[in-house]
Amino acid sequence: MAPRQNAPSPMPADPGPLGAVEAGQSARIAASAAKSLDELKDALSAFDGCALKKTATNLVFGTGSRQARIMLIGEAPGENEDRQGLPFVGPAGQLLDRMLGAIGLDRHADDPAKAVYITNMLPWRPPGNRSPTDSEIAACMPFMVRHIELLAPDFLIFAGGISAKAMLNRTEGITRLRGRSFDYGSAGLKKPVVAMPMLHPAYLLRNPDAKREAWKDMLALKLRLEAGRG
């Protein structure tokens, strides 16, 4: 009878990406340590708690005047944004620029009263433009919270359901959230910020009939700006 041979020792497991709890803790520590938007961008670049970083081409951080009264937060970069490293530069971005221009706003403006700072809930493109998972959103959440705190805008526009639901902690879809205003607050803000969920420009390209509702929302934003709220 042949002697029994010991089974080979298993190979050490690949640690892979950070677990959800570890990723959240790491993100909160890194984000809270950032004292400027440049430091926050560096912290995101060094963050390994979101697997999207491995499949994306570029980090998409933000664009526009850092003194803007309005901060617009979309969902996630698409193909054009991933390639250029800038938010809203594809067809949806072109529509967004026209929408903003219709009420006198411009992402390239230096005047804070006319400027719009634009970013996305997630800084990396999900493969194939799929919707991000809950864990991917949670991993990036502390960075977005800190992004808002450092910019300290008077108004927030959440473009699309992903950013609106995550940042406002709501369960309704964007078609039920749009047309309403909310107070957004966090520990790092001196006062709550007026938040207005709106339909994402990409949704409007797929559903042109919804542009009427989007125009109502833009006019509501214009009235809030003229009234000097925030």
Side-chain angles (χ1 to χ4, degrees), residues 21-188:
V21 174
E22 293 174 301
Q25 292 175 341
S26 176
R28 285 190 290 273
I29 292 171
S32 62
K35 304 304 181 186
S36 68
L37 290 176
D38 289 333
E39 289 185 9
L40 186 67
K41 183 177 181 180
D42 290 342
L44 261 175
S45 297
F47 181 62
D48 290 323
C50 182
L52 295 178
K53 178 181 179 180
K54 294 184 177 181
T55 57
T57 302
N58 283 303
L59 169 73
V60 181
F61 187 69
T63 187
S65 171
R66 295 183 177 185
Q67 284 72 49
R69 293 184 66 199
I70 301 170
M71 181 179 190
L72 184 144
I73 302 173
E75 299 183 340
E79 181 180 3
N80 291 290
E81 290 77 13
D82 182 47
R83 185 171 61 250
Q84 298 185 40
L86 292 170
F88 283 91
V89 293
Q94 295 167 13
L95 176 57
L96 175 62
D97 287 340
R98 293 196 297 272
M99 293 167 61
L100 294 173
I103 60 170
L105 301 175
D106 186 346
R107 74 166 83 190
H108 302 295
D110 293 324
D111 181 355
K114 297 180 180 180
V116 180
Y117 182 90
I118 300 175
T119 186
N120 277 308
M121 184 70 208
L122 280 80
W124 297 288
R125 178 196 181 198
N129 288 356
R130 64 163 172 77
S131 296
T133 65
D134 290 344
S135 61
E136 289 164 351
I137 293 171
C140 297
M141 174 76 77
F143 293 101
M144 183 48 59
V145 171
R146 189 61 179 149
H147 208 148
I148 296 171
E149 291 173 350
L150 290 170
L151 194 76
D154 293 334
F155 294 90
L156 284 168
I157 299 175
F158 295 127
I162 290 174
S163 58
K165 292 167 67 176
M167 299 310 297
L168 295 174
N169 193 27
R170 308 286 297 201
T171 58
E172 305 99 309
I174 189 61
T175 56
R176 296 179 67 88
L177 290 172
R178 63 139 299 272
R180 303 159 63 185
S181 62
F182 301 84
D183 285 338
Y184 170 84
S186 69

